[in-house]
Amino acid sequence: MRLLIISDAWYPQINGVVRTLQRLHKELLELGHDVELIHPGQFRTLPCPTYPEIRLAIFPRRQVGRHIARFAPEAIHIATEGPLGLAARRYCLRNKLPFTTSYHTRFPEYFAERLPVPLDWVYGFVRKFHNSGVGTMVATASLRQELTERGFTRVQPWTRGADISLFRPLPPPDIEFPRPVFLSVGRVSVEKNLEAFLRLDLPGSKVVIGDGPHRATLERRFPGAHFLGAKEGEDLARHYALGDVFVFPSRTDTFGLVLLEALACGLPIAAYPVPGPLDVVGDSPAGILDEDLRTACIKALDVSKEDCLNHAKGFSWQTCTEQFISNLKPQATA
């Protein structure tokens, strides 16, 4: 079918949303679908306040409408609640075109943390955005339950996958750090709660891979940690091999794609028992979840690499793509 995906998150951003959509796009094309993307690279943009790495499209409404009309998609998926997502939603509602959405990021919490706006107000806006579609796709059971309790309707499961052909045990790059190495990978921003990791009294070394608006601040505050910047592809997979334990300090992620990547590279997880880690690791032997993050880090050193690799095999992009397509059916047959 002809499928149109609209996302305010795209390259040069490097995050779980972009990587999920990139891989989904690849899988859909391989299945024979005709897929087009609307993303910020096609528009004039401005940097997002407090997060300049994110580019926001300027007045995209008319261009988005023309794109939808020209492509005449059989299914429309709006991945984000930014300017492009809002423009696409408006066009679809005005022209009675059904669409699905996905809930990738805890936008209300992030927004309320940066601006003096009540959290319930932001949730009201986000709930209205998503409930106007025919379904909202979310990655985990715990998040589905939470959003349902907040009044979101037609919440649909959409899991994530690990590319085990790319993320696999590899020789590390030629960098030596005192062992054990506690590694964290992801966007370096306030909501990732990296300070909770960097403050820990741990043996060996702390290594952070990724970039973002909070990096310079954290480098000044924690000079003993090693910040290696953003990595991609095979280079990222090799840098996972630097670690002995993968530390995931976030309490607000909706999933945490890096958890799957780390497991596929044989790294045990140390994290808080919150949505994301609970859904990915749960009570499996592939990691340690504890409200005392230091305890989780130390105990994770005893987790076997084989348990991590075996657990990662339970997540596939094929399952992810099949779920996505099945969620589109109400629109495709409308």
Side-chain angles (χ1 to χ4, degrees):
M1 62 180 162
R2 288 191 309 281
L3 169 61
L4 180 65
I5 299 174
I6 300 98
S7 176
D8 293 273
W10 200 246
Y11 289 107
Q13 292 182 54
I14 302 174
N15 55 44
V17 179
V18 173
R19 279 147 68 184
T20 294
L21 294 175
Q22 179 203 30
R23 184 55 186 257
L24 174 69
H25 183 225
K26 177 177 181 290
E27 295 283 337
L28 290 168
L29 291 176
E30 289 178 355
L31 289 172
H33 297 285
D34 185 3
V35 187
E36 283 205 14
L37 293 162
I38 295 179
H39 58 79
Q42 301 160 337
F43 298 81
R44 291 187 300 119
T45 60
L46 287 174
C48 177
T50 77
Y51 206 146
E53 288 84 356
I54 296 176
R55 306 293 300 187
L56 301 177
I58 304 171
F59 303 120
R61 186 186 303 171
R62 289 186 180 179
Q63 191 173 336
V64 168
R66 288 196 296 267
H67 195 137
I68 296 174
R70 176 190 58 77
F71 186 53
E74 297 169 85
I76 299 172
H77 181 73
I78 302 175
T80 55
E81 307 97 334
L84 295 178
L86 288 166
R89 173 184 176 273
R90 177 185 173 91
Y91 182 91
C92 290
L93 292 177
R94 291 186 66 180
N95 292 276
K96 296 181 170 55
L97 299 176
F99 60 93
T100 54
T101 65
S102 47
Y103 192 92
H104 293 273
T105 305
R106 291 186 181 274
F107 173 74
E109 283 83 357
Y110 298 166
F111 191 88
E113 184 176 309
R114 286 167 169 78
L115 296 172
V117 179
L119 183 63
D120 287 345
W121 290 10
V122 189
Y123 262 109
F125 160 76
V126 175
R127 183 171 55 245
K128 182 178 179 181
F129 178 94
H130 289 281
N131 283 353
S132 57
V134 298
T136 301
M137 304 186 203
V138 300
T140 66
S142 57
L143 184 59
R144 291 201 300 273
Q145 178 65 29
E146 180 183 333
L147 293 183
T148 299
E149 291 173 356
R150 287 188 175 274
F152 286 66
T153 57
R154 299 180 297 279
V155 182
Q156 303 168 310
W158 180 29
T159 189
R160 298 293 184 267
D163 184 353
I164 59 176
S165 65
L166 173 61
F167 294 102
R168 63 202 190 278
L170 290 170
D174 189 19
I175 307 174
E176 290 293 333
F177 295 117
R179 295 284 176 180
V181 173
F182 296 90
L183 176 72
S184 187
V185 175
R187 193 166 64 248
V188 184
S189 52
V190 173
E191 65 271 11
K192 296 301 182 179
N193 198 29
L194 282 167
E195 288 189 37
F197 162 46
L198 297 173
R199 285 197 306 264
L200 296 178
D201 179 16
L202 292 170
S205 305
K206 299 169 189 170
V207 176
V208 175
I209 295 173
D211 212 342
H214 205 39
R215 178 178 172 183
T217 299
L218 293 179
E219 284 184 309
R220 287 194 301 270
R221 291 188 58 191
F222 301 98
H226 306 275
F227 292 80
L228 304 187
K231 310 293 177 185
E232 292 188 76
E234 188 91 0
D235 189 31
L236 175 58
R238 292 184 66 231
H239 275 79
Y240 274 111
L242 288 170
D244 296 294
V245 171
F246 185 81
V247 186
F248 189 77
S250 175
R251 289 182 175 272
T252 59
D253 271 56
T254 58
F255 187 84
L257 189 61
V258 289
L259 294 170
L260 294 184
E261 294 173 354
L263 290 171
C265 293
L267 276 183
I269 305 299
Y272 292 111
V274 296
L278 279 172
D279 297 281
V280 174
V281 179
D283 58 1
S284 78
I288 305 295
L289 308 183
D290 198 301
E291 279 297 336
D292 185 332
L293 189 59
R294 184 183 187 279
T295 295
C297 289
I298 298 301
K299 288 184 176 180
L301 288 169
D302 294 326
V303 172
S304 78
K305 181 183 232 180
E306 290 70 26
D307 283 338
C308 300
L309 296 173
N310 289 334
H311 191 61
K313 291 175 184 176
F315 297 87
S316 74
W317 282 112
Q318 179 181 353
T319 299
C320 170
T321 305
E322 288 172 353
Q323 277 191 331
F324 180 84
I325 293 170
S326 69
N327 289 337
L328 295 174
K329 286 179 181 177
Q331 176 178 339
T333 58

